[in-house]
C-alpha cells in the first residue's frame, strides 16, 4: 500500500486508555529538490550622462579649406599662412555647466610636435615642411593632443571658435597635398 520510499513509521501507544497511532513519514523522501540552472545571460547596458552639450551635426566630418599657397612664399621657419576659422556650434548645453575645454588630437608633426601633422607624411604627393597651428578665438595656441584654456558657456546654444593656419617647420617647403585630420573632445565643467 505504501511505496517503499514513503513507508510511514507506525507506532501504537496507549494514552488515556485509547490506542493512538503515531505516523512519522520520512520527509527526506517527500521533499522535492530544486536545482538551480544557469539557462541564460542578460547583459544590461546603459549609462548615466554628465551634464553636457551636443555638437550641432550640421556637417560631420567638419571641413576647413585652408587654401593654396606657393612654397616659394613660405620661406621662414615659424611663418604662418592666414588663419582660417572653424566654428563649432554646441547646442542644448545644460544649465549646470558654465565652461568647457577643447582637446584637439591627431598625429603630431614630426618636426614640431606642438602642431598637427599632415596626412601620409613622407609619402609621394604629400607636402613637406608645414604643419597646422591651432588657436582659440583669442589666439591662444592649443598644442596638438592637448586641451585649450577654459572657454565660457551659457545654458542653451554656444559657439566655440578655433583658428587654423599652416606653420612652416622646415625650408624649403615641398609641394603636395597638405590635408590633415583633427579630432575634438569637449570636457565640461
Amino acid at each position: 500500500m505504501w511505496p517503499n520510499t514513503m513507508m510511514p513509521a507506525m507506532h501504537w501507544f496507549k494514552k488515556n486508555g485509547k490506542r493512538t497511532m503515531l505516523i512519522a513519514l520520512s520527509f527526506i523522501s517527500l521533499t522535492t529538490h530544486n536545482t538551480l540552472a544557469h539557462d541564460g545571460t542578460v547583459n544590461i547596458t546603459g549609462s548615466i550622462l554628465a551634464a553636457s552639450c551636443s555638437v550641432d551635426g550640421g556637417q560631420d566630418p567638419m571641413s576647413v579649406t585652408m587654401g593654396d599657397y606657393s612654397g616659394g612664399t613660405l620661406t621662414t621657419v615659424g611663418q604662418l599662412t592666414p588663419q582660417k576659422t572653424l566654428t563649432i556650434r554646441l547646442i542644448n548645453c545644460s544649465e549646470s555647466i558654465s565652461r568647457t575645454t577643447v582637446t584637439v588630437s591627431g598625429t603630431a608633426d614630426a618636426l614640431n610636435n606642438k602642431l598637427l601633422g599632415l596626412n601620409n607624411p613622407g609619402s609621394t604627393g604629400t607636402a613637406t615642411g608645414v604643419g597646422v597651428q591651432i588657436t582659440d578665438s583669442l589666439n591662444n595656441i592649443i598644442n596638438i593632443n592637448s586641451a585649450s584654456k577654459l572657454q565660457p558657456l551659457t545654458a542653451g546654444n554656444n559657439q566655440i571658435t578655433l583658428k587654423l593656419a599652416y606653420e612652416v617647420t622646415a625650408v624649403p617647403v615641398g609641394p603636395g597635398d597638405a590635408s590633415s585630420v583633427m579630432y575634438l573632445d569637449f570636457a565640461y565643467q
Side-chain angles (χ1 to χ4, degrees):
M1 173 164 157
W2 291 96
N4 289 340
T5 59
M6 295 176 50
M7 179 64 76
M10 292 185 223
H11 299 283
W12 291 94
F13 64 95
K14 269 187 165 180
K15 183 174 179 185
N16 300 329
K18 295 183 181 179
R19 285 189 151 193
T20 306
M21 182 172 62
L22 175 68
I23 300 175
L25 296 176
S26 173
F27 287 103
I28 295 174
S29 62
L30 293 179
T31 306
T32 59
H33 295 284
N34 291 332
T35 304
L36 298 177
H38 181 72
D39 293 329
T41 301
V42 176
N43 291 322
I44 299 170
T45 61
S47 39
I48 307 302
L49 301 175
S52 66
C53 303
S54 297
V55 176
D56 184 8
Q59 182 183 355
D60 185 26
M62 295 177 240
S63 296
V64 176
T65 302
M66 297 294 289
D68 298 324
Y69 302 94
S70 168
T73 63
L74 303 173
T75 58
T76 308
V77 172
Q79 180 182 351
L80 296 171
T81 62
Q83 291 179 320
K84 302 298 179 181
T85 301
L86 171 62
T87 302
I88 303 131
R89 287 182 25 117
L90 300 177
I91 59 173
N92 302 320
C93 296
S94 304
E95 291 181 14
S96 61
I97 58 173
S98 60
R99 306 180 295 182
T100 188
T101 59
V102 182
T103 298
V104 292
S105 58
T107 303
D109 182 79
L111 298 175
N112 183 341
N113 64 5
K114 296 178 180 181
L115 303 177
L116 176 63
L118 303 181
N119 293 341
N120 306 310
S123 297
T124 302
T126 300
T128 60
V130 295
V132 180
Q133 183 193 74
I134 305 156
T135 63
D136 65 17
S137 62
L138 300 175
N139 288 321
N140 296 306
I141 294 173
I142 307 169
N143 295 333
I144 194 64
N145 301 317
S146 299
S148 69
K149 292 184 177 187
L150 284 169
Q151 307 287 317
L153 294 177
T154 59
N157 299 334
N158 295 269
Q159 289 187 350
I160 301 293
T161 300
L162 300 179
K163 298 177 183 177
L164 310 171
Y166 289 125
E167 181 176 329
V168 177
T169 59
V171 289
V173 171
D177 180 40
S179 299
S180 192
V181 175
M182 173 177 68
Y183 303 95
L184 305 174
D185 292 295
F186 296 87
Y188 301 100
Q189 298 181 4

